[in-house]
Amino acid sequence: MKNEVIAVIGWITLVQGALGAGGQIFGDNAWGLLQKWWDIPTAGYVVLALAGMALALWGESAKKRAKA
């Protein structure tokens, strides 16, 4: 259960970071929900995407190890 929650949080963080960075790079404003509450620079969104990727990979690999 814990690994599934970590994986879901990782995927959501990855998507929000990627949307924010993509919006600032290819458009005028960041995309996603975070831009509605905070003004995050592009580098911050990239860090969020990388942190989300790490959490998603960790959660998914932990789920596979638990099933084995």
Side-chain angles (χ1 to χ4, degrees):
M1 178 70 177
K2 179 182 82 169
N3 297 331
E4 294 172 4
V5 172
I6 290 172
V8 168
I9 290 171
W11 283 111
I12 292 171
T13 306
L14 171 63
V15 168
Q16 288 298 312
L19 284 174
Q24 287 185 347
I25 291 170
F26 299 113
D28 293 337
N29 294 331
W31 303 325
L33 290 175
L34 296 179
Q35 57 93 17
K36 295 188 182 294
W37 299 305
W38 298 289
D39 185 27
I40 302 172
T42 305
Y45 280 116
V46 171
V47 169
L48 281 171
L50 291 174
M53 186 184 311
L55 283 174
L57 288 173
W58 181 38
E60 294 293 335
S61 64
K63 284 190 329 187
K64 287 182 183 177
R65 279 194 307 264
K67 287 183 181 179

